[in-house]
Amino acid sequence: MKRKADEDLADEPAKKRTSRRTNGSTQFREGLLQQVEKYQKEYTTSEPYKHGVIQALLDPQLLRDVRAEVQTNLSFTPKETDIYKIHQSGDLANLDGLDDSSLKLLPSLLSLRNALYSPAFREFLSTVTGSGPLSGKKTDMAINVYTPGCHLLCHDDVIGSRRVSYILYLTDPDQPWKSEWGGALRLYPTVVQKDKDGKEIKVPGPDSTRSIPPAFNQLSFFAVQPGESYHDVKEVFAQSPGSQLDGDEARVRMAISGWYHIPQEGEAGYVEGLEESLAERSSLQQLQGSGDQFDMPSHDMRQYDDTSQKMDDATASGGPLDEQSKNEAPLSEKDLGFLLKFIAPIYLTPDTLESVSDTFADECSICLEKFLSQKFSDSLKTDIVKQEALPLPLATSDIENQTSWRMARPPYKHRFLYRQLDPQTGSESESSPSQKLLTELLPSEAFRKWLQLATGLSLSSRNLTARRFRRGEDYTLATGYTEDESQLELIMAITPSEGWAADEEPAGDDADDRKNLEHATNATATDPLEGKTKGSEPLGVGGYIAYMAGDDAGEHSDDGQSNDGVEVPLDLSTGARASRPASQKKGNKKADPAVYQAVDDDEDDGVLFSMPAGWNTLGLVLRDKGVMRFVKYVSQQAKGDRWDILGEFGVDSSDEDGSVVDETEQQQDDDETSETEIDTDYDKSTQVDSDDGSD
């Protein structure tokens, strides 16, 4: 039912509508604005940082009318970045700028906006939070809809002139939200640590300590504080298969999210130059206040022991090698015997190595499927499935005290479980197949030689981390590579569960690729207000790793969304982005069907390389300065956790003449007589067809 005051307001010219914002204070619950002391006391004593929650904020009929207008007259755009997945309306701050015919469709929404930014309510919030004066001229609000799978990861809201952040929930008033559906606002505590210069830095803990579930007509708010106001929104969980308790259409977390800003020119409390100063401070906070030295896992690049490599190479060649030749030596018999314990024989043959090297030289990235031998792969899968079946504690302290896992932190950069080499012993005490990958194969001199043959690069150091991304918990946010020298990065995908990517056969040409993409796009259109998918359900469980081109400096303004992150293309989000066999490019005469590269696309979407979670696939990427990398949040809907090993390898900057590129030719000349012996002997001992390599 529309109120006459709202109808009259919608009929007024825009200039008069702007001047009548003061009348919005009558929409609040009776007596609310006189309870300043009550809410001020609750706010100042709240933990883990100061925040407030007000139930029954407004006249409930007004919010019912707003819901009806939103569902009938507004459209929503699905948005996904490394930090969030939501459906969002357009900017609602400039409602006054709408023409009269459009505004007649949204009288209740306009009335709500006027109430939230009325002088009376701004004074109320300013007093409760102690934030100082709040602007009524610079409004900043949008409607966000979270359906199953949607989420917002940890951030602090610090951008430009923001002073107070708020969320007003518009969930279904006739079906109260259940906490087990997820969607809660979670707050993170911080601890003060001193950096190497004695400067105090606030670092958020890995676990949230306050959870605020959504509720109709509930307002949550807090003052925006650099390095302190860290929060996220827990994923809205999908209904369990077979459950008849409710449908996903009930799990629509609709809310108005926005900010109050510092006073603008012409308003009481305006301070000239303050907005520019705050913008500069927020940028400086992001650049200098990150406290990288407190990050876990630490980035510990270990130098290779070239002495042992020289001795091995001298033995293989029959004499000492000079400095230039040390990285050109072929794999010795000893190397091959060691590598055959782990790697499929096909990847140790000269023809395949030449194909891999040519493709990597052209693309600077490559995916190698069925990389591990069948025997080792089978034992590895059994090991990981067994580990995943064991229950894990929820709290970080319990995980670290009761298991061999450590928790990555801080959460505004990443959160996942990890293991690294023991810095004291250089190895782990366990001897499981997963640990053998981390402690035997990947750090070995033999594998270093193989990498150099496969990539044409000379490698000087390495950093290895085994990672486990838990469903409904873990991710890494996009961070840029800041070093001047390029770095080789390795991703060993060892996720045993299925359902991470679309089950499509590699396309034969670009036209087929585009057809597949169009099919995937059309099949996953959604109506967020109905909370269900039209057509087939998109995968959308995340867990993929992506490398993307960095944004140009200065591209974002302080009016943008908080921590917008890196936009994710639709086909990457839904798992429809495919791989195809390496193209028969010039110099790539012997392309092997086991060697894959990313699909070409006429449109540059910024994705340089991507790889879904999967089993027994090796990805190699040459990462340049500025290139961003992230692992998308793993949804609760995934069929299992995401497992991988990340390797980072320093590239010898003195090796700019590409001398290692021709190593495959030397390997082919020296090993032609041994190739048959490798395949034949290995097949006899393991009963593996060398054309398959692994399961």
Side-chain angles (χ1 to χ4, degrees):
M1 181 179 69
K2 295 182 180 178
R3 292 171 175 73
K4 186 175 187 302
D6 291 337
E7 293 174 347
D8 293 343
L9 187 60
D11 290 335
E12 289 185 4
K15 291 183 179 179
K16 291 185 179 180
R17 291 199 300 266
T18 303
S19 66
R20 291 192 55 174
R21 291 186 185 180
T22 56
N23 296 335
S25 61
T26 58
Q27 303 288 359
F28 292 97
R29 183 213 329 146
E30 184 177 357
L32 172 70
L33 301 185
Q34 286 71 51
Q35 295 180 299
V36 173
E37 290 187 6
K38 172 182 181 295
Y39 289 107
Q40 189 177 43
K41 181 178 180 180
E42 292 178 359
Y43 184 87
T44 55
T45 57
S46 59
E47 296 289 346
Y49 53 81
K50 295 177 182 179
H51 66 277
V53 179
I54 300 177
Q55 307 290 347
L57 178 75
L58 294 141
D59 175 1
Q61 187 58 49
L62 172 64
L63 289 196
R64 285 178 176 269
D65 293 343
V66 170
R67 273 181 55 88
E69 291 174 4
V70 169
Q71 291 174 314
T72 303
N73 301 311
L74 291 186
S75 60
F76 289 79
T77 302
K79 294 186 176 182
E80 182 167 355
T81 71
D82 59 314
I83 195 171
Y84 64 70
K85 180 179 181 180
I86 59 174
H87 304 269
Q88 190 174 64
S89 70
D91 182 11
L92 300 180
N94 194 30
L95 287 173
D96 294 319
L98 294 176
D99 59 75
D100 290 343
S101 61
S102 298
L103 201 56
K104 283 182 178 180
L105 301 174
L106 303 170
S108 300
L109 183 58
L110 179 64
S111 180
L112 173 61
R113 193 282 312 270
N114 290 346
L116 292 176
Y117 287 90
S118 64
F121 190 63
R122 285 186 285 118
E123 177 65 23
F124 172 83
L125 272 186
S126 174
T127 304
V128 169
T129 63
S131 65
L134 303 174
S135 175
K137 181 184 294 186
K138 186 173 184 177
T139 57
D140 191 352
M141 57 187 284
I143 298 179
N144 295 325
V145 173
Y146 290 68
T147 57
C150 290
H151 55 270
L152 173 63
L153 304 179
C154 185
H155 62 291
D156 67 2
D157 266 4
V158 175
I159 291 182
S161 62
R162 294 173 179 174
R163 187 160 264 180
V164 173
S165 178
Y166 70 88
I167 304 172
L168 175 61
Y169 292 102
L170 300 176
T171 51
D172 189 342
D174 299 319
Q175 185 165 12
W177 190 271
K178 300 178 182 179
S179 59
E180 58 265 30
W181 293 354
L185 173 67
R186 301 187 299 186
L187 312 183
Y188 287 77
T190 57
V191 295
V192 177
Q193 301 195 47
K194 290 187 177 181
D195 64 13
K196 58 185 178 182
D197 299 321
K199 179 182 177 182
E200 291 188 345
I201 296 178
K202 291 182 178 180
V203 181
D207 301 327
S208 62
T209 57
R210 175 78 162 103
S211 181
I212 307 172
F216 177 73
N217 201 5
Q218 171 185 288
L219 182 77
S220 300
F221 59 95
F222 52 84
V224 175
Q225 304 171 74
E228 186 168 348
S229 52
Y230 290 105
H231 61 283
D232 68 11
V233 174
K234 190 175 183 64
E235 176 186 1
V236 174
F237 297 140
Q239 182 174 321
S240 301
S243 172
Q244 300 299 320
L245 296 179
D246 62 81
D248 282 349
E249 62 270 13
R251 303 184 180 193
V252 179
R253 181 191 184 274
M254 184 191 301
I256 292 180
S257 300
W259 296 271
Y260 291 92
H261 291 257
I262 62 173
Q264 304 297 294
E265 187 171 2
E267 291 184 300
Y270 170 73
V271 177
E272 185 175 359
L274 178 59
E275 183 162 352
E276 292 77 9
S277 174
L278 289 174
E280 182 178 351
R281 189 179 71 175
S282 66
S283 298
L284 190 64
Q285 176 77 19
Q286 294 176 29
L287 291 174
Q288 296 182 347
S290 58
D292 290 350
Q293 63 183 287
F294 304 115
D295 288 3
M296 295 176 63
S298 60
H299 192 259
D300 182 20
M301 296 294 287
R302 302 186 187 185
Q303 297 296 315
Y304 280 105
D305 182 4
D306 283 335
T307 302
S308 60
Q309 180 175 343
K310 286 181 181 180
M311 293 176 63
D312 289 343
D313 294 343
T315 302
S317 62
L321 298 177
D322 57 26
E323 189 70 18
Q324 180 179 356
S325 302
K326 69 177 182 179
N327 291 319
E328 298 179 4
L331 294 171
S332 67
E333 264 187 60
K334 180 181 177 182
D335 295 330
L336 290 171
F338 172 78
L339 294 175
L340 280 169
K341 294 191 299 182
F342 301 95
I343 299 175
I346 193 171
Y347 289 114
L348 301 177
T349 64
D351 282 353
T352 302
L353 272 171
E354 182 182 6
S355 176
V356 170
S357 180
D358 287 345
T359 301
F360 187 85
D362 287 339
E363 304 292 335
C364 293
S365 63
I366 196 168
C367 279
L368 306 178
E369 296 190 340
K370 299 182 179 180
F371 182 73
L372 300 173
S373 69
Q374 183 170 352
K375 181 179 180 181
F376 184 76
S377 172
D378 287 346
S379 64
L380 178 64
K381 179 176 285 189
T382 299
D383 173 36
I384 293 177
V385 170
K386 182 179 178 181
Q387 288 189 58
E388 192 164 327
L390 297 174
L392 272 174
L394 295 178
T396 294
S397 58
D398 292 337
I399 291 174
E400 295 186 341
N401 289 332
Q402 299 174 26
T403 75
S404 61
W405 292 108
R406 295 294 177 264
M407 183 72 73
R409 61 196 77 175
Y412 65 82
K413 292 184 180 180
H414 51 215
R415 182 171 62 221
F416 55 86
L417 304 182
Y418 73 92
R419 293 178 178 133
Q420 287 182 305
L421 296 177
D422 188 311
Q424 302 298 323
T425 65
S427 65
E428 291 275 355
S429 58
E430 301 179 28
S431 58
S432 65
S434 56
Q435 287 301 325
K436 287 181 178 179
L437 270 182
L438 181 65
T439 63
E440 294 184 29
L441 173 64
L442 298 182
S444 69
E445 288 292 342
F447 187 72
R448 175 195 185 187
K449 286 184 184 180
W450 184 91
L451 274 180
Q452 292 180 150
L453 290 166
T455 63
L457 302 171
S458 179
L459 307 179
S460 58
S461 57
R462 87 280 187 188
N463 181 48
L464 300 169
T465 306
R467 307 187 297 181
R468 177 179 177 180
F469 294 79
R470 300 161 297 165
R471 289 171 289 176
E473 295 289 344
D474 295 338
Y475 55 87
T476 68
L477 299 183
T479 54
Y481 179 62
T482 59
E483 300 299 322
D484 292 328
E485 302 298 335
S486 298
Q487 175 173 275
L488 177 67
E489 298 193 357
L490 170 153
I491 308 100
M492 184 70 243
I494 48 174
T495 301
S497 55
E498 299 177 348
W500 297 92
D503 293 325
E504 297 181 74
E505 291 295 326
D509 53 48
D510 290 347
D512 288 341
D513 293 338
R514 286 192 292 272
K515 183 178 179 180
N516 291 338
L517 173 58
E518 290 170 0
H519 174 75
T521 303
N522 293 334
T524 58
T526 61
D527 184 345
L529 298 183
E530 294 185 10
K532 55 189 176 182
T533 303
K534 298 176 180 178
S536 61
E537 184 178 356
L539 295 174
V541 296
Y544 55 83
I545 189 168
Y547 289 78
M548 303 188 73
D551 293 329
D552 293 333
E555 200 169 277
H556 299 292
S557 69
D558 63 1
D559 292 326
Q561 289 297 310
S562 171
N563 301 85
D564 270 342
V566 181
E567 185 175 356
V568 174
L570 178 62
D571 62 324
L572 191 61
S573 168
T574 61
R577 177 157 298 204
S579 296
R580 59 179 171 81
S583 58
Q584 297 284 347
K585 295 186 178 182
K586 182 179 179 181
N588 192 17
K589 304 179 290 298
K590 301 178 180 179
D592 190 277
V595 179
Y596 284 75
Q597 62 190 44
V599 173
D600 290 334
D601 198 307
D602 293 336
E603 183 178 353
D604 182 10
D605 56 13
V607 180
L608 305 177
F609 176 85
S610 65
M611 195 170 94
W615 179 251
N616 197 4
T617 300
L618 180 73
L620 297 174
V621 179
L622 185 61
R623 190 179 183 192
D624 294 328
K625 186 175 184 178
V627 172
M628 295 181 290
R629 180 190 75 204
F630 67 92
V631 173
K632 181 61 183 176
Y633 166 83
V634 178
S635 170
Q636 180 71 27
Q637 301 177 58
K639 295 180 180 179
D641 295 349
R642 178 194 190 277
W643 299 69
D644 75 5
I645 294 181
L646 174 67
E648 299 167 312
F649 298 86
V651 177
D652 190 349
S653 59
S654 64
D655 183 47
E656 297 177 354
D657 58 357
S659 60
V660 184
V661 172
D662 295 326
E663 288 184 42
T664 51
E665 297 178 7
Q666 180 179 355
Q667 178 75 27
Q668 183 175 9
D669 293 340
D670 293 348
D671 286 359
E672 280 182 347
T673 58
S674 63
E675 179 178 351
T676 304
E677 181 180 350
I678 293 172
D679 293 342
T680 304
D681 290 349
Y682 188 71
D683 289 346
K684 287 178 181 178
S685 63
T686 62
Q687 301 299 312
V688 176
D689 185 347
S690 62
D691 289 337
D692 292 334
S694 63
D695 62 345

